[in-house]
Structure formats: C-alpha cells, structure tokens
Amino acid sequence: MCDPLVIGFNFIENIFFTLALVAGILTLIFSVSYMLGSIFREEKYKLFAKKEAYNLFISLLLLVLFFPIVTVVESITCTSHNVSMYDFTISSMESVLYGEIYPIISSLYKISIFQTSVSHLKLSFGAGIFKPLGFLGDVSKSLNIVSFIMEISFSSIYIQALALSFFKVTAFNIFFPLGILFRGIPLLRNYGSFVIAFSIALSTIYPFIYFISFDAYYGVFSKMNFNDNVNDLFHPKGIFSEIAVGLDNTMFWFLTFAEYNSLREMFFTFGRVLFLAVGIPAFAIILTFACSSSINKFLDRLSA
C-alpha cells in the first residue's frame, strides 16, 4: 500500500539503526574529549567537544527539517499511481526499454539485413552488370546509423534505471548517515556537508525530475503518434482508401521487409526516446547538483 505516513515510517525504520550508530559514535568521541579536557584542564578539548556536539545537533535538525519534504516528494505519485516516485519511474523506464526501444532496434536490424542483401542483386546484360536495387545499400547505411543511436539510447536509459534503483536504496539510508559521520571529523567536515546535501537532493529533486518527465512522456508525447496525427494525411477516408493503403504497404514491404505504418510510427517514437535518453538525465543532474550546492552552502554557514 502506498501511503505518505507508511513511507515516512519506512524511512525512519530504514535509517534509524545506521543513524543511531553514527550519532552514538560521535557522542562517544566528543564526550571523551570533554572528559579529558576537564581532567587535564585543556580548554581546546572542551572546545572541540562543544563544536562537535553543535555540528551533530545541526545535522539532526536538518533531518527533522527536510524529512517531511523527502516523505512528501517520495509519496507524490501515491494518489495517481499508487506507487512511490522511484518505483513509478523505474517501472516506466522498463516499459520504454522493452516496449518501445527494443522493438525499434529489432525492426531496424531486420530491415538492414534485407536491404543489404537485396542491394547486391545483380542483373547481367551482355558484358554489362546492373544493380537495380543498389540504392538500398545507402538506405541501409542510414538505418544502421539510426539503429546505433537507438542502441545508445537503450544503454543510456538502462543505466539510468540502474542508477535510480541504486539511489532508491542508498540516497537517504546510506548517504545521509555517512554525511553526518564525515561532519563529525574536522578534516572531512566539508565533504560531509556535501554528502548530506547530495542525499537530500537525490531523495527529492532527482526522482521528481524523472517523474514529471515521464508524466509528460505518457501524457503528451505518447499522443504524438502516426495513427492520430499523420495517417489521415497519407490515407484519407474515401472510396479509394483501402486500395491506396494496400498499394502503399505492398510497395514498402518489397523495399524494406517491414510494414510501412509501423516504420513511420517508429520515427515518431525515435524523437521521444532521445528526449528521455539525453535531455532528461542532463537536466536532472544539473538541478540535483544545483540543489546540493545550495544546501551545502547553508550547512557551511551553520557549521561551528
């Protein structure tokens, strides 16, 4: 069941042990430091203990401040899709990978093989040799380029799906306690602030960008298909419609070994896939690091 309160309690349950362990280690360190300072009357040990206690307090306060935001953002898809944001995005990526990109790559591969074979067909007229379908070799090379781009897009979206699966588990559960631990070490304090900021950005901005992108993909771009936008232009309704469709598809089948309308619709999908494979990850990464930088500066100003 997808519920904001349930997701919130799951966050607490997943992070509690690691966070308690880190907070306990830091508390032990500055308690010992303060005790040694009191015994040997060294103010620098006491000052170190007070600074570390203050920094731990700020880190835990930041968790209290941002925890409701993380919970709400993670559960924003509960109402419409009944799953968390990360789960919705990952399942949407898998649908695009195996429902749209893979069939395109498979079709292009079949077309390319057929066209390459047919383009080498030779006819002899006396001493001369003629290749009537030689032009299909150039068409095949162009389709190979398209296939290569689609393979890169497939790899890109697949890697993004793996990254989202990884960040779903580690963004808040691992990186946030690790950042608190680093902030308790003077030499690593700056890195700790960035890790905390990065974990918050990965739990909010990063999945949210993908969510609104896939919402637009299925809500807007999916309507930009061949059947709804172009089919009527090529095959207007009328008495000769069925004959025109039959001739059109028969001619194209001979040239490409593929159904005409499917290939036309494939190129409509091509643009949408490039949008997901290139544009969205770049936009998500830029905004994630921008958010991380802002939170990092805020933590640096509060550090002792």
Side-chain angles (χ1 to χ4, degrees):
M1 181 179 179
C2 183
D3 183 84
L5 292 177
V6 174
I7 291 179
F9 283 121
N10 288 338
F11 270 132
I12 295 175
E13 182 180 358
N14 293 333
I15 201 176
F16 179 78
F17 176 76
T18 308
L19 189 62
L21 180 63
V22 170
I25 292 173
L26 294 178
T27 302
L28 178 63
I29 291 174
F30 63 69
S31 297
V32 171
S33 176
Y34 191 86
M35 182 181 65
L36 292 176
S38 300
I39 294 174
F40 297 103
R41 296 182 180 180
E42 291 286 346
E43 290 298 325
K44 60 181 181 181
Y45 294 152
K46 291 183 178 181
L47 182 62
F48 170 80
K50 292 177 181 179
K51 285 184 178 181
E52 296 313 312
Y54 171 78
N55 288 322
L56 178 60
F57 171 76
I58 292 298
S59 299
L60 296 178
L61 179 62
L62 190 68
L63 173 64
V64 174
L65 293 176
F66 280 93
F67 182 78
I69 299 176
V70 173
T71 303
V72 170
V73 171
E74 283 290 337
S75 61
I76 200 169
T77 54
C78 286
T79 303
S80 56
H81 303 284
N82 201 35
V83 292
S84 67
M85 188 173 296
Y86 266 113
D87 291 333
F88 169 77
T89 304
I90 293 171
S91 63
S92 298
M93 281 188 171
E94 291 177 351
S95 299
V96 172
L97 282 174
Y98 302 106
E100 297 191 27
I101 301 181
Y102 181 78
I104 291 176
I105 296 175
S106 178
S107 298
L108 288 172
Y109 181 72
K110 295 175 183 177
I111 293 171
S112 178
I113 291 177
F114 179 79
Q115 289 183 338
T116 302
S117 302
V118 173
S119 66
H120 290 91
L121 178 66
K122 298 179 181 179
L123 297 178
S124 298
F125 294 94
I129 298 177
F130 176 63
K131 294 183 178 180
L133 298 176
F135 68 93
L136 288 179
D138 295 327
V139 177
S140 177
K141 292 178 181 178
S142 300
L143 290 179
N144 284 337
I145 296 175
V146 177
S147 179
F148 177 72
I149 296 174
M150 294 304 296
E151 290 171 4
I152 294 177
S153 300
F154 184 94
S155 301
S156 173
I157 296 177
Y158 184 76
I159 292 173
Q160 292 174 58
L162 290 179
L164 283 166
S165 300
F166 175 75
F167 290 142
K168 174 187 174 182
V169 177
T170 61
F172 212 69
N173 300 335
I174 303 297
F175 291 153
F176 194 90
L178 186 63
I180 292 178
L181 179 62
F182 284 176
R183 275 179 56 82
I185 303 173
L187 294 177
L188 300 177
R189 182 160 296 137
N190 292 333
Y191 298 102
S193 298
F194 177 78
V195 171
I196 290 176
F198 191 56
S199 70
I200 294 173
L202 284 178
S203 302
T204 54
I205 298 297
Y206 191 72
F208 183 72
I209 294 299
Y210 278 99
F211 165 70
I212 60 176
S213 300
F214 276 103
D215 196 48
Y217 184 87
Y218 287 110
V220 179
F221 289 109
S222 61
K223 297 179 181 179
M224 299 171 56
N225 56 67
F226 174 78
N227 292 327
D228 293 340
N229 294 275
V230 180
N231 194 35
D232 290 340
L233 296 177
F234 284 93
H235 304 134
K237 296 180 181 179
I239 190 170
F240 298 107
S241 176
E242 294 183 3
I243 299 176
V245 171
L247 292 174
D248 194 5
N249 289 330
T250 301
M251 182 181 298
F252 201 74
W253 180 274
F254 172 73
L255 294 178
T256 64
F257 201 60
E259 200 273 321
Y260 200 177
N261 294 343
S262 297
L263 189 64
R264 284 174 175 167
E265 190 168 2
M266 177 188 72
F267 283 101
F268 275 82
T269 307
F270 181 75
R272 304 200 306 265
V273 168
L274 285 181
F275 168 75
L276 291 178
V278 180
I280 295 308
F283 189 54
I285 291 172
I286 290 173
L287 285 184
T288 299
F289 276 96
C291 179
S292 300
S293 178
S294 300
I295 299 175
N296 186 31
K297 291 179 180 178
F298 174 73
L299 282 173
D300 287 341
R301 291 179 181 178
L302 293 178
S303 298

